[in-house]
């Protein structure tokens, strides 16, 4: 059985749509839940009913909830135990992740050893961050997608702090750069939209020089794609002035993180932004990571103030990755319908709590 080709607004996998790759799983999908810290568990609570809903519609899935996060670390000293990491790497189809980060762990050690370990260890170098403003928000009709390299650059965790001197290394390798850019080119071709590489090769001559060189090679290999490199500062200025000419934006880990936070603002803010990370060079069904762009937001955690839309749209991306296109589309449509009917959390000027927003969205799902 081959999954139907979707037209989902957050569709991300056209570049990989071959019959082989789109085959529906021959086993129940093994989905690990890591709610994490702060607002993570609250928004995850609004995603879990979607898994139950998919199961009720006949999708086969097994769900395992994992405790890793600050509470678990502070209670046990464990961040992500090796056995758990190996099980996620070898025995899991998808990870649905909330957020990590907790002021009780000021050095962020657990966050590094859980989230960055998963991104880097599973080689999830393509981090897809779509921006499509929801009904009733400003800039409706905009369609931006950031392809952020997710495993290296300035986030490679190599550096040192010495008296009066601090070093953070940024390491860029050609395989990761090439895989990220190939995915971005494929996506721009599939959407027939422009592709922009954000870089600072005028200053970061080595690392971003590599990005520009590989980008130029791929430009030559993809003459049908309208592609150009831009200094990131000029790109940011142009985006703020008018984002509409942009389609796909590719960037390294650090720039991609920041640019996708800006594009999230075009779609209502960090609370609405979904993401999916995958390893394009590994078999289609290796574990992927679906997580909202936002962090743990400790200042609002536990108060029902977090917006669950980013988490819910990340769940739709996960469904799409599993080949469950009709469920992905239905979840995206339910979010759009809830927004169109005026449902809003406080970050969007409404008064709904996290759980009320989740309930409003689920109210628009088909049975
Ligand atoms: N879902 C993305 C995530 O958890 N990112 C980690 C992060 O940004 N943590 C910092 C924070 O939560 O303040």
């Amino acid at each position: 059985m081959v999954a139907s080709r979707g037209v989902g607004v957050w569709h991300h996998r056209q570049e990989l749509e071959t019959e082989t790759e789109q085959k529906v799983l021959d086993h129940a999908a093994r989905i690990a839940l890591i709610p994490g810290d702060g607002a993570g568990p609250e928004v995850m609570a609004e995603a879990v009913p979607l898994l139950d809903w998919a199961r009720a519609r006949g999708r086969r899935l097994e769900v395992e909830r994992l405790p890793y996060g600050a509470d678990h670390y502070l209670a046990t000293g464990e961040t992500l135990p090796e056995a758990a990491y190996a099980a996620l790497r070898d025995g899991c189809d998808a990870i649905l992740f909330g957020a990590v980060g907790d002021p009780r762990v000021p050095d962020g050690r657990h966050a590094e050893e859980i989230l960055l370990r998963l991104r880097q260890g599973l080689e999830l170098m393509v981090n897809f961050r779509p921006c499509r403003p929801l009904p009733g928000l400003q800039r409706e009709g905009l369609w931006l997608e950031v392809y952020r390299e997710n495993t290296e650059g300035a986030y490679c965790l190599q550096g040192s702090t010495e008296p009066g001197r601090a070093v953070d290394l940024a390491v860029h390798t050609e395989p990761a750069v090439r895989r990220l850019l190939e995915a971005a080119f494929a996506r721009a071709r599939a959407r027939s939209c422009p592709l922009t590489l954000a870089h600072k090769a005028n200053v970061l001559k080595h690392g971003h020089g590599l990005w520009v060189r590989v980008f130029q090679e791929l430009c030559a290999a993809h003459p049908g794609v309208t592609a150009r490199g831009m200094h990131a500062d000029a790109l940011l200025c142009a985006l703020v002035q008018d984002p509409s000419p942009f389609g796909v934006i590719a960037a390294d880990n650090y720039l991609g993180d920041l640019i996708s936070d800006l594009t999230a603002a075009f779609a209502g803010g960090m609370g609405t932004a979904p993401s999916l990370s995958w390893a394009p060079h590994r078999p289609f069904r290796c574990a992927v990571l679906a997580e909202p762009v936002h962090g743990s937001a400790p200042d609002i955690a536990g108060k029902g103030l977090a917006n669950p839309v980013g988490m819910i749209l990340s769940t739709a991306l996960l469904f799409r990755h599993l080949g469950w296109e009709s469920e992905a589309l239905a979840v995206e449509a339910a979010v759009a319908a809830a927004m169109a009917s005026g449902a809003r959390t406080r970050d969007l000027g409404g008064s709904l709590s996290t759980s009320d927003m989740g309930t409003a969205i689920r109210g628009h799902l088909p049975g």
Side-chain angles (χ1 to χ4, degrees):
M1 188 179 157
V2 175
S4 63
R5 190 185 191 92
V7 291
V9 289
W10 289 276
H11 206 290
H12 62 288
R13 293 204 71 104
Q14 281 97 332
E15 69 272 21
L16 295 178
E17 280 192 7
T18 67
E19 296 225 335
T20 315
E21 287 157 336
Q22 278 291 293
K23 274 193 184 141
V24 171
L25 284 184
D26 59 3
H27 58 265
R30 298 158 301 188
I31 301 173
L33 306 184
I34 306 181
D37 303 332
E42 284 172 278
V43 294
M44 182 67 82
E46 304 312 312
V48 169
L50 303 176
L51 303 176
D52 297 333
W53 168 79
R55 187 185 287 111
R57 286 166 57 91
R59 297 300 188 184
R60 293 167 56 223
L61 66 153
E62 293 164 4
V63 175
E64 185 175 5
R65 190 182 183 96
L66 300 174
Y68 306 116
D71 284 347
H72 184 80
Y73 173 56
L74 292 169
T76 67
E78 278 183 346
T79 53
L80 179 62
E82 195 52 38
Y85 168 73
L88 289 167
R89 182 191 60 209
D90 301 330
C92 173
D93 297 300
I95 303 163
L96 193 55
F97 197 93
V100 274
D102 189 301
R104 294 171 299 166
V105 189
D107 66 1
R109 177 174 165 223
H110 75 297
E112 284 178 14
E113 293 186 10
I114 299 169
L115 186 55
L116 294 192
R117 175 88 198 280
L118 288 171
R119 291 174 178 170
Q120 295 174 355
L122 301 178
E123 298 182 282
L124 304 174
M125 68 266 299
V126 178
N127 180 220
F128 170 73
R129 294 185 160 194
C131 158
R132 298 213 74 179
L134 292 158
L137 297 179
Q138 287 182 344
R139 301 188 193 274
E140 213 178 321
L142 185 67
W143 187 3
L144 297 177
E145 293 173 341
V146 176
Y147 276 66
R148 167 193 174 192
E149 200 290 320
N150 205 26
T151 57
E152 47 183 44
Y155 294 19
C156 65
L157 304 181
Q158 295 178 39
S160 60
T161 303
E162 299 151 28
R165 185 170 186 266
V167 177
D168 285 307
L169 280 181
V171 177
H172 305 263
T173 68
E174 184 156 344
V177 170
R178 191 172 286 282
R179 286 178 189 130
L180 185 281
L181 288 177
E182 281 172 348
F185 267 90
R187 179 61 171 161
R189 190 179 57 231
R191 279 185 53 194
S192 300
C193 74
L195 168 65
T196 309
L197 169 68
H199 67 83
K200 282 289 291 178
N202 53 338
V203 180
L204 306 175
K205 292 190 169 64
H206 303 285
H208 285 196
L210 170 66
W211 277 85
V212 169
R213 176 174 66 71
V214 176
F215 186 74
Q216 286 169 347
E217 282 175 33
L218 292 175
C219 284
H222 297 272
V225 175
T226 304
R228 67 170 171 155
M230 279 182 85
H231 288 136
D233 27 20
L235 169 70
L236 288 167
C237 187
L239 267 177
V240 169
Q241 285 174 330
D242 181 11
S244 60
F246 294 91
V248 173
I249 299 170
D252 80 349
N253 207 338
Y254 188 31
L255 289 179
D257 194 2
L258 301 181
I259 292 168
S260 60
D261 291 341
L262 172 62
T263 59
F266 294 142
M270 298 273 272
T272 66
S275 83
L276 187 84
S277 302
W278 70 90
H281 59 304
R282 295 173 63 191
F284 179 59
R285 294 303 178 194
C286 72
V288 296
L289 180 67
E291 55 174 326
V293 166
H294 67 73
S296 57
D299 52 330
I300 60 165
K303 300 176 182 165
L305 294 174
N307 189 335
V309 165
M311 183 85 236
I312 287 172
L313 291 176
S314 300
T315 310
L317 293 178
L318 184 152
F319 286 170
R320 178 162 294 118
H321 169 79
L322 293 172
W324 303 351
E325 184 62 27
S326 57
E327 283 75 14
L329 287 170
V331 170
E332 290 164 354
V335 172
M339 290 292 298
S341 72
R344 299 274 189 286
T345 41
R346 292 196 187 206
D347 54 315
L348 298 182
S351 59
L352 294 187
S353 68
T354 310
S355 62
D356 288 343
M357 188 69 189
T359 303
I361 292 168
R362 291 193 296 279
H364 293 274
L365 286 175

